[in-house]
Amino acid sequence: MRRFSVSLLFLLASAFTFAQTSSNPAVLKNSPTTGKAADSVVLYANAPDNAGCPIGFFASRQATGHMMSAGDARQAGPAQGLHLVLNRLTAPAIESIEIIVYGVSSKARVLPAHEPSADVSKTFELRRETGSASLSDADVWMHNVGALSRVDLISIHYADGTTWNATENFKCRAVPSNFLLVGRR
């Protein structure tokens, strides 16, 4: 019986493996030799358009262990957090930034087939700590939100008094990945 189970497992595994491979080679549509099989396939990530962003702007998700009981009903509820990283390699130093964090509410809803619209937003002004050379990272938290979807950088105030403001052609957006570390050692 054990041999039969192992044989059946290998048979099913090989069937699923071959079912996932394509017998047709990939064809490049914009290749100089149209209709010829591609040597490799390139996949592009859906990265935010940060054309004209004067700094590197990244976001990663933060989590806290949070347990609620029935007696905690009046508290603000579980929080979602983002860790923001600002990469500015040249002078002047960043004094403060203004951002808008977007997310979806924690209310029950029907899940649409398309991407849900961001129906919760909050504006934050973040300043560098006293004694630090520049604002390089910060943490933001929002309560009563289902998930945080993106962060838009609205303005940057530099230590020399100059300011950068986002426009239609020059904007900064950070989209956190869905990867979330749940614990540290």
PDB file of all heavy atoms in Angstrom, residues 128-154:
ATOM      1  N   ARG A 128      12.644  66.100  11.128  1.00  0.00           N
ATOM      2  CA  ARG A 128      13.837  65.398  11.601  1.00  0.00           C
ATOM      3  C   ARG A 128      14.003  65.603  13.100  1.00  0.00           C
ATOM      4  O   ARG A 128      13.531  66.597  13.668  1.00  0.00           O
ATOM      5  CB  ARG A 128      15.081  65.859  10.853  1.00  0.00           C
ATOM      6  CG  ARG A 128      15.569  67.230  11.233  1.00  0.00           C
ATOM      7  CD  ARG A 128      16.857  67.545  10.528  1.00  0.00           C
ATOM      8  NE  ARG A 128      17.212  68.942  10.749  1.00  0.00           N
ATOM      9  CZ  ARG A 128      18.370  69.446  10.448  1.00  0.00           C
ATOM     10  NH1 ARG A 128      19.292  68.699   9.894  1.00  0.00           N
ATOM     11  NH2 ARG A 128      18.630  70.710  10.674  1.00  0.00           N
ATOM     12  N   GLU A 129      14.623  64.615  13.733  1.00  0.00           N
ATOM     13  CA  GLU A 129      14.857  64.696  15.168  1.00  0.00           C
ATOM     14  C   GLU A 129      15.959  65.701  15.465  1.00  0.00           C
ATOM     15  O   GLU A 129      16.877  65.893  14.666  1.00  0.00           O
ATOM     16  CB  GLU A 129      15.264  63.318  15.705  1.00  0.00           C
ATOM     17  CG  GLU A 129      14.157  62.292  15.631  1.00  0.00           C
ATOM     18  CD  GLU A 129      14.607  60.939  16.156  1.00  0.00           C
ATOM     19  OE1 GLU A 129      15.690  60.846  16.763  1.00  0.00           O
ATOM     20  OE2 GLU A 129      13.864  59.978  15.948  1.00  0.00           O
ATOM     21  N   THR A 130      15.880  66.326  16.614  1.00  0.00           N
ATOM     22  CA  THR A 130      16.891  67.283  17.025  1.00  0.00           C
ATOM     23  C   THR A 130      18.236  66.577  17.141  1.00  0.00           C
ATOM     24  O   THR A 130      18.334  65.518  17.748  1.00  0.00           O
ATOM     25  CB  THR A 130      16.522  67.907  18.388  1.00  0.00           C
ATOM     26  OG1 THR A 130      15.216  68.475  18.286  1.00  0.00           O
ATOM     27  CG2 THR A 130      17.511  68.984  18.792  1.00  0.00           C
ATOM     28  N   GLY A 131      19.240  67.141  16.529  1.00  0.00           N
ATOM     29  CA  GLY A 131      20.577  66.571  16.581  1.00  0.00           C
ATOM     30  C   GLY A 131      20.900  65.631  15.434  1.00  0.00           C
ATOM     31  O   GLY A 131      22.057  65.260  15.249  1.00  0.00           O
ATOM     32  N   SER A 132      19.911  65.234  14.637  1.00  0.00           N
ATOM     33  CA  SER A 132      20.202  64.351  13.497  1.00  0.00           C
ATOM     34  C   SER A 132      20.567  65.197  12.290  1.00  0.00           C
ATOM     35  O   SER A 132      20.143  66.347  12.157  1.00  0.00           O
ATOM     36  CB  SER A 132      19.010  63.453  13.182  1.00  0.00           C
ATOM     37  OG  SER A 132      17.924  64.218  12.737  1.00  0.00           O
ATOM     38  N   ALA A 133      21.365  64.615  11.412  1.00  0.00           N
ATOM     39  CA  ALA A 133      21.842  65.352  10.248  1.00  0.00           C
ATOM     40  C   ALA A 133      20.732  65.619   9.236  1.00  0.00           C
ATOM     41  O   ALA A 133      20.700  66.668   8.601  1.00  0.00           O
ATOM     42  CB  ALA A 133      22.973  64.575   9.577  1.00  0.00           C
ATOM     43  N   SER A 134      19.810  64.666   9.072  1.00  0.00           N
ATOM     44  CA  SER A 134      18.738  64.791   8.089  1.00  0.00           C
ATOM     45  C   SER A 134      17.615  63.829   8.445  1.00  0.00           C
ATOM     46  O   SER A 134      17.813  62.878   9.199  1.00  0.00           O
ATOM     47  CB  SER A 134      19.282  64.477   6.688  1.00  0.00           C
ATOM     48  OG  SER A 134      18.274  64.610   5.718  1.00  0.00           O
ATOM     49  N   LEU A 135      16.445  64.077   7.899  1.00  0.00           N
ATOM     50  CA  LEU A 135      15.338  63.130   8.050  1.00  0.00           C
ATOM     51  C   LEU A 135      15.581  62.003   7.054  1.00  0.00           C
ATOM     52  O   LEU A 135      15.556  62.219   5.844  1.00  0.00           O
ATOM     53  CB  LEU A 135      14.002  63.824   7.766  1.00  0.00           C
ATOM     54  CG  LEU A 135      12.751  62.960   7.817  1.00  0.00           C
ATOM     55  CD1 LEU A 135      12.560  62.367   9.222  1.00  0.00           C
ATOM     56  CD2 LEU A 135      11.534  63.756   7.416  1.00  0.00           C
ATOM     57  N   SER A 136      15.851  60.801   7.557  1.00  0.00           N
ATOM     58  CA  SER A 136      16.161  59.683   6.667  1.00  0.00           C
ATOM     59  C   SER A 136      15.140  58.551   6.754  1.00  0.00           C
ATOM     60  O   SER A 136      15.023  57.763   5.815  1.00  0.00           O
ATOM     61  CB  SER A 136      17.554  59.136   6.963  1.00  0.00           C
ATOM     62  OG  SER A 136      17.617  58.684   8.303  1.00  0.00           O
ATOM     63  N   ASP A 137      14.416  58.449   7.857  1.00  0.00           N
ATOM     64  CA  ASP A 137      13.378  57.439   7.975  1.00  0.00           C
ATOM     65  C   ASP A 137      12.373  57.863   9.034  1.00  0.00           C
ATOM     66  O   ASP A 137      12.661  58.692   9.883  1.00  0.00           O
ATOM     67  CB  ASP A 137      13.954  56.053   8.277  1.00  0.00           C
ATOM     68  CG  ASP A 137      14.627  55.975   9.636  1.00  0.00           C
ATOM     69  OD1 ASP A 137      15.136  56.997  10.119  1.00  0.00           O
ATOM     70  OD2 ASP A 137      14.634  54.883  10.220  1.00  0.00           O
ATOM     71  N   ALA A 138      11.176  57.280   8.939  1.00  0.00           N
ATOM     72  CA  ALA A 138      10.105  57.611   9.882  1.00  0.00           C
ATOM     73  C   ALA A 138       9.078  56.491   9.870  1.00  0.00           C
ATOM     74  O   ALA A 138       9.001  55.710   8.913  1.00  0.00           O
ATOM     75  CB  ALA A 138       9.445  58.930   9.483  1.00  0.00           C
ATOM     76  N   ASP A 139       8.311  56.409  10.940  1.00  0.00           N
ATOM     77  CA  ASP A 139       7.223  55.446  11.051  1.00  0.00           C
ATOM     78  C   ASP A 139       5.906  56.195  11.153  1.00  0.00           C
ATOM     79  O   ASP A 139       5.815  57.190  11.876  1.00  0.00           O
ATOM     80  CB  ASP A 139       7.399  54.560  12.291  1.00  0.00           C
ATOM     81  CG  ASP A 139       8.607  53.660  12.191  1.00  0.00           C
ATOM     82  OD1 ASP A 139       8.915  53.188  11.082  1.00  0.00           O
ATOM     83  OD2 ASP A 139       9.254  53.425  13.222  1.00  0.00           O
ATOM     84  N   VAL A 140       4.886  55.723  10.420  1.00  0.00           N
ATOM     85  CA  VAL A 140       3.545  56.284  10.514  1.00  0.00           C
ATOM     86  C   VAL A 140       2.574  55.148  10.817  1.00  0.00           C
ATOM     87  O   VAL A 140       2.758  54.024  10.354  1.00  0.00           O
ATOM     88  CB  VAL A 140       3.125  57.031   9.223  1.00  0.00           C
ATOM     89  CG1 VAL A 140       3.963  58.275   9.022  1.00  0.00           C
ATOM     90  CG2 VAL A 140       3.198  56.137   8.006  1.00  0.00           C
ATOM     91  N   TRP A 141       1.549  55.454  11.617  1.00  0.00           N
ATOM     92  CA  TRP A 141       0.550  54.467  12.034  1.00  0.00           C
ATOM     93  C   TRP A 141      -0.831  55.053  11.839  1.00  0.00           C
ATOM     94  O   TRP A 141      -1.061  56.234  12.100  1.00  0.00           O
ATOM     95  CB  TRP A 141       0.749  54.098  13.505  1.00  0.00           C
ATOM     96  CG  TRP A 141       2.008  53.348  13.743  1.00  0.00           C
ATOM     97  CD1 TRP A 141       3.243  53.866  14.018  1.00  0.00           C
ATOM     98  CD2 TRP A 141       2.182  51.938  13.702  1.00  0.00           C
ATOM     99  NE1 TRP A 141       4.163  52.857  14.158  1.00  0.00           N
ATOM    100  CE2 TRP A 141       3.534  51.658  13.971  1.00  0.00           C
ATOM    101  CE3 TRP A 141       1.316  50.874  13.465  1.00  0.00           C
ATOM    102  CZ2 TRP A 141       4.037  50.367  14.007  1.00  0.00           C
ATOM    103  CZ3 TRP A 141       1.828  49.588  13.505  1.00  0.00           C
ATOM    104  CH2 TRP A 141       3.167  49.346  13.770  1.00  0.00           C
ATOM    105  N   MET A 142      -1.769  54.205  11.407  1.00  0.00           N
ATOM    106  CA  MET A 142      -3.168  54.605  11.284  1.00  0.00           C
ATOM    107  C   MET A 142      -4.032  53.551  11.959  1.00  0.00           C
ATOM    108  O   MET A 142      -3.790  52.359  11.818  1.00  0.00           O
ATOM    109  CB  MET A 142      -3.574  54.754   9.813  1.00  0.00           C
ATOM    110  CG  MET A 142      -2.969  55.965   9.137  1.00  0.00           C
ATOM    111  SD  MET A 142      -3.389  56.098   7.390  1.00  0.00           S
ATOM    112  CE  MET A 142      -5.149  56.351   7.438  1.00  0.00           C
ATOM    113  N   HIS A 143      -5.046  54.011  12.694  1.00  0.00           N
ATOM    114  CA  HIS A 143      -5.987  53.117  13.370  1.00  0.00           C
ATOM    115  C   HIS A 143      -7.247  52.955  12.527  1.00  0.00           C
ATOM    116  O   HIS A 143      -7.574  53.809  11.704  1.00  0.00           O
ATOM    117  CB  HIS A 143      -6.371  53.670  14.747  1.00  0.00           C
ATOM    118  CG  HIS A 143      -5.259  53.576  15.735  1.00  0.00           C
ATOM    119  ND1 HIS A 143      -5.008  52.444  16.462  1.00  0.00           N
ATOM    120  CD2 HIS A 143      -4.307  54.475  16.091  1.00  0.00           C
ATOM    121  CE1 HIS A 143      -3.963  52.641  17.239  1.00  0.00           C
ATOM    122  NE2 HIS A 143      -3.518  53.861  17.035  1.00  0.00           N
ATOM    123  N   ASN A 144      -7.967  51.857  12.770  1.00  0.00           N
ATOM    124  CA  ASN A 144      -9.244  51.564  12.106  1.00  0.00           C
ATOM    125  C   ASN A 144      -9.127  51.600  10.584  1.00  0.00           C
ATOM    126  O   ASN A 144      -9.948  52.195   9.894  1.00  0.00           O
ATOM    127  CB  ASN A 144     -10.340  52.520  12.569  1.00  0.00           C
ATOM    128  CG  ASN A 144     -10.660  52.318  14.025  1.00  0.00           C
ATOM    129  OD1 ASN A 144     -10.610  51.194  14.525  1.00  0.00           O
ATOM    130  ND2 ASN A 144     -10.973  53.391  14.716  1.00  0.00           N
ATOM    131  N   VAL A 145      -8.096  50.984  10.075  1.00  0.00           N
ATOM    132  CA  VAL A 145      -7.901  50.894   8.631  1.00  0.00           C
ATOM    133  C   VAL A 145      -7.672  49.429   8.292  1.00  0.00           C
ATOM    134  O   VAL A 145      -7.022  48.698   9.041  1.00  0.00           O
ATOM    135  CB  VAL A 145      -6.741  51.808   8.172  1.00  0.00           C
ATOM    136  CG1 VAL A 145      -5.425  51.382   8.749  1.00  0.00           C
ATOM    137  CG2 VAL A 145      -6.658  51.885   6.669  1.00  0.00           C
ATOM    138  N   GLY A 146      -8.252  48.984   7.182  1.00  0.00           N
ATOM    139  CA  GLY A 146      -8.100  47.593   6.783  1.00  0.00           C
ATOM    140  C   GLY A 146      -6.722  47.292   6.247  1.00  0.00           C
ATOM    141  O   GLY A 146      -6.102  46.295   6.593  1.00  0.00           O
ATOM    142  N   ALA A 147      -6.204  48.151   5.383  1.00  0.00           N
ATOM    143  CA  ALA A 147      -4.870  47.987   4.808  1.00  0.00           C
ATOM    144  C   ALA A 147      -4.404  49.331   4.278  1.00  0.00           C
ATOM    145  O   ALA A 147      -5.209  50.151   3.839  1.00  0.00           O
ATOM    146  CB  ALA A 147      -4.888  46.959   3.688  1.00  0.00           C
ATOM    147  N   LEU A 148      -3.106  49.557   4.319  1.00  0.00           N
ATOM    148  CA  LEU A 148      -2.513  50.772   3.753  1.00  0.00           C
ATOM    149  C   LEU A 148      -1.999  50.439   2.359  1.00  0.00           C
ATOM    150  O   LEU A 148      -1.314  49.440   2.166  1.00  0.00           O
ATOM    151  CB  LEU A 148      -1.385  51.273   4.647  1.00  0.00           C
ATOM    152  CG  LEU A 148      -1.814  51.627   6.077  1.00  0.00           C
ATOM    153  CD1 LEU A 148      -0.616  52.050   6.900  1.00  0.00           C
ATOM    154  CD2 LEU A 148      -2.873  52.702   6.068  1.00  0.00           C
ATOM    155  N   SER A 149      -2.342  51.263   1.394  1.00  0.00           N
ATOM    156  CA  SER A 149      -2.031  50.927   0.006  1.00  0.00           C
ATOM    157  C   SER A 149      -0.883  51.728  -0.600  1.00  0.00           C
ATOM    158  O   SER A 149      -0.133  51.187  -1.410  1.00  0.00           O
ATOM    159  CB  SER A 149      -3.273  51.101  -0.864  1.00  0.00           C
ATOM    160  OG  SER A 149      -3.753  52.424  -0.778  1.00  0.00           O
ATOM    161  N   ARG A 150      -0.732  52.999  -0.240  1.00  0.00           N
ATOM    162  CA  ARG A 150       0.341  53.803  -0.845  1.00  0.00           C
ATOM    163  C   ARG A 150       0.574  55.060  -0.024  1.00  0.00           C
ATOM    164  O   ARG A 150      -0.241  55.434   0.808  1.00  0.00           O
ATOM    165  CB  ARG A 150       0.006  54.163  -2.282  1.00  0.00           C
ATOM    166  CG  ARG A 150      -1.117  55.163  -2.427  1.00  0.00           C
ATOM    167  CD  ARG A 150      -1.409  55.460  -3.891  1.00  0.00           C
ATOM    168  NE  ARG A 150      -2.305  56.565  -4.051  1.00  0.00           N
ATOM    169  CZ  ARG A 150      -3.624  56.488  -4.057  1.00  0.00           C
ATOM    170  NH1 ARG A 150      -4.206  55.320  -3.890  1.00  0.00           N
ATOM    171  NH2 ARG A 150      -4.365  57.568  -4.228  1.00  0.00           N
ATOM    172  N   VAL A 151       1.710  55.710  -0.308  1.00  0.00           N
ATOM    173  CA  VAL A 151       2.065  56.972   0.336  1.00  0.00           C
ATOM    174  C   VAL A 151       2.498  57.941  -0.759  1.00  0.00           C
ATOM    175  O   VAL A 151       3.360  57.608  -1.583  1.00  0.00           O
ATOM    176  CB  VAL A 151       3.228  56.797   1.343  1.00  0.00           C
ATOM    177  CG1 VAL A 151       3.553  58.117   2.017  1.00  0.00           C
ATOM    178  CG2 VAL A 151       2.918  55.725   2.353  1.00  0.00           C
ATOM    179  N   ASP A 152       1.897  59.111  -0.792  1.00  0.00           N
ATOM    180  CA  ASP A 152       2.296  60.161  -1.728  1.00  0.00           C
ATOM    181  C   ASP A 152       3.063  61.230  -0.972  1.00  0.00           C
ATOM    182  O   ASP A 152       2.602  61.707   0.077  1.00  0.00           O
ATOM    183  CB  ASP A 152       1.082  60.788  -2.410  1.00  0.00           C
ATOM    184  CG  ASP A 152       0.474  59.894  -3.468  1.00  0.00           C
ATOM    185  OD1 ASP A 152       1.146  58.933  -3.891  1.00  0.00           O
ATOM    186  OD2 ASP A 152      -0.673  60.147  -3.877  1.00  0.00           O
ATOM    187  N   LEU A 153       4.213  61.609  -1.509  1.00  0.00           N
ATOM    188  CA  LEU A 153       5.025  62.678  -0.940  1.00  0.00           C
ATOM    189  C   LEU A 153       4.533  63.994  -1.539  1.00  0.00           C
ATOM    190  O   LEU A 153       4.548  64.169  -2.757  1.00  0.00           O
ATOM    191  CB  LEU A 153       6.500  62.435  -1.260  1.00  0.00           C
ATOM    192  CG  LEU A 153       7.524  63.384  -0.687  1.00  0.00           C
ATOM    193  CD1 LEU A 153       7.463  63.407   0.827  1.00  0.00           C
ATOM    194  CD2 LEU A 153       8.914  62.990  -1.147  1.00  0.00           C
ATOM    195  N   ILE A 154       4.069  64.895  -0.692  1.00  0.00           N
ATOM    196  CA  ILE A 154       3.485  66.156  -1.144  1.00  0.00           C
ATOM    197  C   ILE A 154       4.536  67.257  -1.232  1.00  0.00           C
ATOM    198  O   ILE A 154       4.593  67.995  -2.205  1.00  0.00           O
ATOM    199  CB  ILE A 154       2.339  66.597  -0.201  1.00  0.00           C
ATOM    200  CG1 ILE A 154       1.283  65.497  -0.110  1.00  0.00           C
ATOM    201  CG2 ILE A 154       1.729  67.911  -0.651  1.00  0.00           C
ATOM    202  CD1 ILE A 154       0.705  65.073  -1.435  1.00  0.00           C
TER     203      ILE A 154
END
